Amino acid sequence: MPEHVYDVVVLGTGAAGLTAALRAAADGARVGLFEKADTVGGTSAWSGGTVWLPNNRHEMELGFSDSREEVLTYLMSLSHGLMEQPLVEAYVDTAPEVAAWLEDNSPVEFETLRGMSDYHPEHPGGKQEGRSLECTLFPFADLADWAHRVTVGWQITGEITMSESPLGRKAPGGVPAEGLERRKLRDERGAGQALVGRLLRGCLDRGVNPQVGCRGVRLLPGSGRVTGVLIEGPDGPFEAHARGGVVLATGGFEHDERLVTAFLRGPLARAVSVPTNTGDGLRMAMRVGADLTDMREAWWVATIDVDVDGWGRVPWQVNTERTRPHTIMVNDDGVRFTNEAANYNALGNAFHVVDAQRFAYVNHPAWLVVDHHFLCRYGLAGHRPPAPTPGWMIQAPTIAELAERMGVPVDALLATVERWNSHAAAGSDADFRRGDSHHDRACGDPAFGGTHQGTLGPIDCPPYYAIRVRCGALGTKGGPRTDTQGRVLDVDGDVIEGLYAGNAMGSVMGMTYGGHGGTLGPGLVFGYLSGRHAAALATRP
Ligand SMILES: Cc1cc2nc3c(=O)[nH]c(=O)nc-3n(C[C@H](O)[C@H](O)[C@H](O)COP(=O)(O)OP(=O)(O)OC[C@H]3O[C@@H](n4cnc5c(N)ncnc54)[C@H](O)[C@@H]3O)c2cc1C
């Protein structure tokens, strides 16, 4: 069997893998970077590309105040006993360094996502702005042949940055058409495309060429350590040996039904990540005795099934569709069950409620209910009247008829909408406090100037619409337990020499999500730490 020798082997080309490879190569390591799919970038390239790297230098430059202690206090206040303080400290201490190092040593260029708050800004140490960064537009022309080998998803395709999206503050009226045309000349892309494009350019500049269609399948043991990995490539299997270590940056296990059923705490009906994230890294680590942690958790999101040209029916992550006015969520009893504008990860808890008497997930699947005014003003998953109502949406001229078509009790839905409309008129949601958190208002309609009305608003403009909502995930959080350098620990708590986990590790975040960029932030940090540590082992004299 063919054998190749590297200093560091990285599996997976999402942001975590690219960062690990970049850091290791910058430290002088010879890096083998392998990707299972035929394109690079993973879910990171499909994403908004926002990174939550608190206490970063852009925050300081803009005059925001932040500190290590505040970030630590904030995160630990969300722990519920699931977060390991040393890992959290490693994250908090390294996050500002990673942001600065990437900018100083690669084409990565960040700017602050203005107006976007932490996901629990009222918790101690929480902030209303400053901790979330994103990359500036990146000309894919600079990637030459690689420009066409970066994966592109269906929801966020990179024509605009997140600051220019409805979530951001940069382009209240949208980016003018001539601006978009100009971007096409050099194929300038924002969001996750910009993050991956810039990291990839950085890797290529340092001589790291990803090898696609190469799936890591089994770790190679040798004298008490992991010495490499068996890879199935387009021309057959080969062994990639690693003097310093193997970094697992293979994403989660959300696309493996058996692992999902075995480990997750409640329904995960739709995964919105790349389909190649099937838990390969987890299985490899389990085979060599890794301890596991955070297995019950995922980065939960609410999803609806929509039709997208060229893709067919796909899950769509529901964001502003539930945080803006004139929209609510109800369960099959026709009643609201949560603050719809809460952050998406926290909403997972509402979907997972089991009624002890009925022994049923009473809020899952749920319904999104909006009125015509909402659709005309904001649109929904690419649809906006007067385009014909798509097949994935139920439409009715009255709330009563809508309830009948949804199959929920008519009287209950009528009462729910009437009560919601009275909350909207009063400017206060007495049932679930929607709009009381700065987070909800920041994700509302900016035209209302950060008031409750930016997220409240009556449902009173016919026709009315309903869409099934299912609990989904950006990815799972569980994986091998690691130390503060990303080194995988075994079931006795000892380091498995030569094995690292980037973002495929059991997440540092427990059941929480710090703020916009809360999944990519830890990916960058632990990718960076893993790459640096493995490179140091391989290159030390
Ligand atoms: C629409 C959308 C928007 C999002 N927006 C944001 C955002 O703005 N901020 C944020 O923080 N998060 C966001 N997320 C979530 C975020 O994209 C993911 O959590 C993140 O990309 C995970 O990074 P990663 O590098 O760990 O994994 P990935 O980017 O998924 O990369 C893993 C890679 O490993 C490869 N792989 C798997 N198995 C193997 C194997 N055996 N051998 C070799 N390669 C393998 C996969 O093919 C994949 O390319 C978003 C997600 C979506 C879908």
Side-chain angles (χ1 to χ4, degrees):
M1 180 169 327
E3 295 183 22
H4 306 282
V5 180
Y6 302 91
D7 291 325
V8 178
V9 168
V10 179
L11 298 179
T13 57
L18 290 172
T19 304
L22 182 59
R23 177 68 223 217
D27 289 348
R30 183 162 179 264
V31 179
L33 175 59
F34 299 97
E35 168 56 51
K36 174 178 173 181
D38 293 330
T39 47
V40 298
T43 317
S44 308
W46 290 11
S47 78
T50 310
V51 295
W52 194 73
L53 293 173
N55 209 14
N56 64 73
R57 66 185 180 190
H58 291 270
E59 250 179 302
M60 306 308 139
E61 282 161 16
L62 288 169
F64 296 115
S65 77
D66 204 350
S67 68
R68 173 185 196 271
E69 287 63 39
E70 284 177 289
V71 189
L72 262 180
T73 305
Y74 172 64
L75 284 175
M76 293 314 292
S77 80
L78 301 163
S79 169
H80 290 293
L82 293 178
M83 288 156 78
E84 289 191 39
Q85 175 104 12
L87 273 194
V88 178
E89 286 183 13
Y91 173 68
V92 174
D93 288 336
T94 317
E97 178 185 329
V98 171
W101 187 90
L102 286 173
E103 289 190 313
D104 295 343
N105 293 278
S106 81
V108 168
E109 190 179 278
F110 288 122
E111 64 181 355
T112 304
L113 192 63
R114 297 304 306 266
M116 287 292 97
S117 81
D118 287 345
Y119 281 177
H120 303 273
E122 286 79 25
H123 271 241
K127 296 284 176 189
Q128 295 192 354
E129 197 170 355
R131 290 173 171 169
S132 300
L133 302 171
E134 71 168 331
C135 281
T136 54
L137 288 170
F138 178 67
F140 264 49
D142 288 4
L143 286 177
D145 289 352
W146 279 98
H148 307 291
R149 299 165 77 187
V150 175
T151 181
V152 186
W154 55 80
Q155 186 157 356
I156 298 175
T157 48
E159 285 88 0
I160 56 170
T161 63
M162 293 310 281
S163 299
E164 295 163 341
S165 77
L167 270 176
R169 295 287 178 272
K170 214 173 180 179
V175 181
E178 59 275 20
L180 292 177
E181 276 306 309
R182 215 171 25 245
R183 285 175 195 187
K184 284 192 185 147
L185 293 176
R186 294 183 66 220
D187 195 4
E188 289 181 335
R189 303 188 202 172
Q193 293 283 302
L195 175 67
V196 165
R198 287 178 180 279
L199 288 170
L200 176 59
R201 186 64 262 169
C203 284
L204 296 170
D205 290 344
R206 293 182 185 275
V208 182
N209 282 280
Q211 298 186 48
V212 298
C214 290
R215 176 186 191 180
V217 285
R218 194 175 287 272
L219 295 165
L220 304 173
S223 53
R225 56 174 296 143
V226 168
T227 57
V229 58
L230 175 68
I231 293 179
E232 282 170 358
D235 302 320
F238 61 94
E239 290 182 355
H241 293 274
R243 278 196 282 256
V246 175
V247 181
L248 303 172
T250 47
F253 56 84
E254 59 276 6
H255 285 288
D256 184 292
E257 209 179 320
R258 213 191 62 72
L259 292 173
V260 163
T261 309
F263 289 118
L264 292 184
R265 66 168 200 212
L268 192 182
R270 298 286 186 273
V272 295
S273 60
V274 288
T276 39
N277 287 358
T278 54
D280 293 351
L282 173 64
R283 281 206 183 77
M284 282 187 261
M286 285 166 76
R287 256 182 234 120
V288 296
D291 194 8
L292 305 179
T293 189
D294 222 13
M295 296 306 290
R296 45 172 258 172
E297 288 299 327
W299 308 99
W300 307 108
V301 288
T303 65
I304 54 177
D305 291 348
V306 304
D307 294 326
V308 175
D309 283 349
W311 288 93
R313 188 145 293 191
V314 287
W316 185 272
Q317 187 189 333
V318 184
N319 284 327
T320 49
E321 295 88 350
R322 56 182 173 76
T323 63
R324 300 223 148 157
H326 317 287
T327 162
I328 56 172
M329 286 199 303
V330 298
N331 60 20
D332 276 348
D333 295 331
V335 298
R336 288 179 70 219
F337 56 92
T338 189
N339 166 12
E340 298 87 347
N343 77 73
Y344 41 84
N345 180 67
L347 274 185
N349 298 295
F351 290 126
H352 289 166
V353 168
V354 174
D355 179 277
Q357 171 64 20
R358 289 150 76 181
F359 204 62
Y361 287 105
V362 280
N363 301 329
H364 191 263
W367 294 95
L368 185 72
V369 175
V370 305
D371 71 1
H372 194 63
H373 181 67
F374 175 94
L375 270 196
C376 294
R377 186 170 165 85
Y378 306 114
L380 205 163
H383 165 69
R384 193 189 292 264
T389 303
W392 44 266
M393 205 181 252
I394 295 174
Q395 177 183 335
T398 65
I399 293 292
E401 285 173 77
L402 189 73
E404 275 168 16
R405 289 182 198 173
M406 292 159 66
V408 307
V410 173
D411 290 349
L413 190 63
L414 281 168
T416 296
V417 171
E418 194 182 331
R419 188 166 169 80
W420 167 255
N421 290 351
S422 71
H423 294 335
S428 169
D429 171 14
D431 294 333
F432 296 104
R433 321 296 328 165
R434 174 163 157 186
D436 285 7
S437 168
H438 176 83
H439 165 272
D440 306 354
R441 300 191 300 275
C443 293
D445 182 342
F448 290 90
T451 64
H452 277 65
Q453 294 305 343
T455 183
L456 306 178
I459 296 180
D460 59 1
C461 175
Y464 302 97
Y465 307 87
I467 309 111
R468 260 297 189 210
V469 179
R470 291 182 175 82
C471 184
L474 304 172
T476 52
K477 279 182 168 177
R481 196 169 154 240
T482 67
D483 71 0
T484 55
Q485 301 300 317
R487 292 186 295 182
V488 174
L489 302 174
D490 70 13
V491 287
D492 297 314
D494 297 323
V495 168
I496 301 178
E497 299 290 347
L499 185 61
Y500 299 79
N503 215 18
M505 65 188 270
S507 177
V508 59
M509 292 296 169
M511 65 190 285
T512 196
Y513 202 121
H516 296 271
T519 75
L520 284 167
L524 261 55
V525 167
F526 284 95
Y528 174 91
L529 287 168
S530 302
R532 183 173 70 182
H533 198 277
L537 279 188
T539 57
R540 73 182 168 198

